Amino acid sequence: MIDTEQASIASPKVLTVSELNRLAKEVLEQSFPLFWVSGEISNLTRAASGHWYFSLKDAGAQVSCVMFRGRNSYIDWTPKEGDKVEARVLVTLYEARGSFQLTIEFLQRAGAGALFEAFEKLKTKLQQEGLFDPAFKQAIPAHPKQIGIVTSADAAALHDVLTTLRRRMPSIPVVIYPTPVQGKGAATQIAKAINSAHERNECDVLIVCRGGGSMEDLWQFNEEIVARAIANCRIPTISGVGHETDFTICDFVADARAATPTAAAELVSPSREALLNSLKQLGLQLNKNGQDLINQREQMLDYLARRLVSPSQQITQQKNQLAQVSHRLTIAIKQQLQNQQNSLSKLTLNLHHLNPQSVLTRGYAFAQTKDGKIINKSNQIKAGDAIHLSFGEGQAEAIVSKTS
């Protein structure tokens, strides 16, 4: 028979699967503090919960990863299959499945740390030189006569820009300054294209653009040679590099920044449809204003017409008034004529009474000297003077024989 104590030593405690996984989890989490790991993303899944599930792999192995919603909401870019990344992680074990996995605390593109440091260093340098100063920004023309585009001739960004320009204002000519936008030496070629546009000076505005990509893909637009070419360009320049969340040194130096190449095309070109609609609205408003003015004038005309007296009535009234005035004038003239005739008769009668000739007819004579002076005093003549006598009928010459 086997002793009970010996049996206990020979048969250790049996763990459940849950207990085993819990112990393994504790050992892993205690053994591996927070650290960085690099790899390539594969099998990426974005769950409805907002969590991200994927694998990090290299040439020889892979490991399952999870980045919970509370953490992935802090990154300003969206990872995709094949992205090379650097992750700050905790090693853990998913107890329910016994799966070894990494819990991602922070995620960045591979090499982003060094690139970001270079980005910030150049940004600070150029900012101190005043290349970002708003006071030196040129205004983007509202109605450019010709638009220049600096980008790759076979880039999707060029297609997007040209499509947008044709849709919005197809009448504006476009000049393309082709250049590689990615790869070794691309920054120098981009700067040459910008300098060429500056020297030719044939456009009113210049778009520098390319589509989205990783920080490495867009790095050519973070090079100092490109930034200085934009700063020296006398043509107003719009930077349309990457997507909404992408920022490059070009964005800060350019006169304006657009979130995407398409947005750059929209910013630089007036909308033909909007202008036509605006013109239509102005036409409608003009017609309305004209009709309102006509209505006001017609209303005023109606008001004044009601104040007018009929011309025929006025003529009749004037005729009646003229007849009355004429009648009164005739009566007045006759009365005045009668009065004058009466006065004339009285004056004629008085004159007749005062007429010396009338006196002479009553036996008196009218005496005058030989030079025609009337003799009314005897001292006017003397004896021997010749005098002239006028009678009621006839005349006589006499010699004065005596005066007294």
Side-chain angles (χ1 to χ4, degrees), residues 252-388:
F252 299 105
V253 181
D255 298 298
R257 183 231 176 206
T260 64
T262 298
E266 291 178 346
L267 179 62
V268 78
S269 61
S271 171
R272 179 176 179 272
E273 183 177 354
L275 290 175
L276 289 175
N277 288 336
S278 177
L279 183 61
K280 181 179 179 181
Q281 292 301 318
L282 289 174
L284 293 175
Q285 187 63 46
L286 181 62
N287 289 335
K288 181 180 181 301
N289 292 344
Q291 189 59 51
D292 289 345
L293 183 61
I294 292 174
N295 292 339
Q296 291 175 7
R297 293 296 184 264
E298 288 180 344
Q299 187 175 4
M300 181 177 292
L301 184 61
D302 292 340
Y303 172 74
L304 294 175
R306 289 193 295 269
R307 297 179 57 188
L308 289 174
V309 179
S310 173
S312 60
Q313 294 177 353
Q314 285 188 337
I315 292 173
T316 301
Q317 291 176 357
Q318 294 295 333
K319 284 183 177 180
N320 292 337
Q321 291 176 359
L322 181 61
Q324 294 175 3
V325 171
S326 178
H327 178 68
R328 289 196 298 270
L329 182 60
T330 300
I331 293 175
I333 291 174
K334 288 181 178 180
Q335 184 66 42
Q336 186 69 19
L337 184 60
Q338 184 63 46
N339 294 336
Q340 293 296 329
Q341 287 177 344
N342 293 337
S343 297
L344 181 60
S345 298
K346 290 179 181 179
L347 291 173
T348 301
L349 180 61
N350 292 336
L351 183 61
H352 179 73
H353 290 159
L354 295 175
N355 189 352
Q357 192 67 28
S358 299
V359 177
L360 295 179
T361 59
R362 295 198 296 271
Y364 295 96
F366 183 64
Q368 293 175 287
T369 63
K370 61 181 179 180
D371 55 2
K373 294 181 178 179
I374 297 174
I375 300 172
N376 52 18
K377 293 179 181 180
S378 62
N379 59 5
Q380 291 179 262
I381 57 177
K382 60 184 183 294
D385 287 344
I387 61 174
H388 180 78

Side-chain angles (χ1 to χ4, degrees), residues 1-11:
M1 182 175 182
I2 300 175
D3 186 272
T4 304
E5 184 177 350
Q6 293 177 341
S8 176
I9 294 174
S11 303

Side-chain angles (χ1 to χ4, degrees), residues 149-151 177-179 187-198 206:
I149 305 174
V150 173
T151 192
Y177 304 91
T179 175
T188 301
Q189 296 300 317
I190 294 170
K192 285 183 178 179
I194 295 171
N195 291 334
S196 176
H198 165 77
L206 186 67

Side-chain angles (χ1 to χ4, degrees), residues 53-127:
Y53 300 95
F54 54 89
S55 296
L56 279 180
K57 67 177 183 177
D58 59 19
Q62 66 178 14
V63 61
S64 297
C65 302
V66 60
M67 190 171 192
F68 295 114
R69 178 180 57 193
R71 290 294 181 180
N72 65 41
S73 61
Y74 287 105
I75 69 171
D76 59 0
W77 59 285
T78 303
K80 62 182 184 300
E81 290 284 332
D83 281 352
K84 291 180 174 18
V85 297
E86 296 171 348
R88 194 178 185 196
V89 303
L90 286 170
V91 176
T92 187
L93 185 139
Y94 181 41
E95 295 182 44
R97 297 180 59 87
S99 301
F100 170 78
Q101 67 178 18
L102 302 180
T103 300
I104 310 295
E105 296 294 311
F106 182 75
L107 190 68
Q108 67 183 26
R109 297 182 177 94
L115 290 177
F116 185 75
E117 183 179 351
F119 176 90
E120 288 297 323
K121 183 177 180 180
L122 179 59
K123 179 181 175 184
T124 301
K125 174 185 176 182
L126 298 181
Q127 186 171 21

Side-chain angles (χ1 to χ4, degrees), residues 381-385 399-403:
I381 57 177
K382 60 184 183 294
D385 287 344
I399 298 298
V400 177
S401 58
K402 181 182 178 180
T403 61

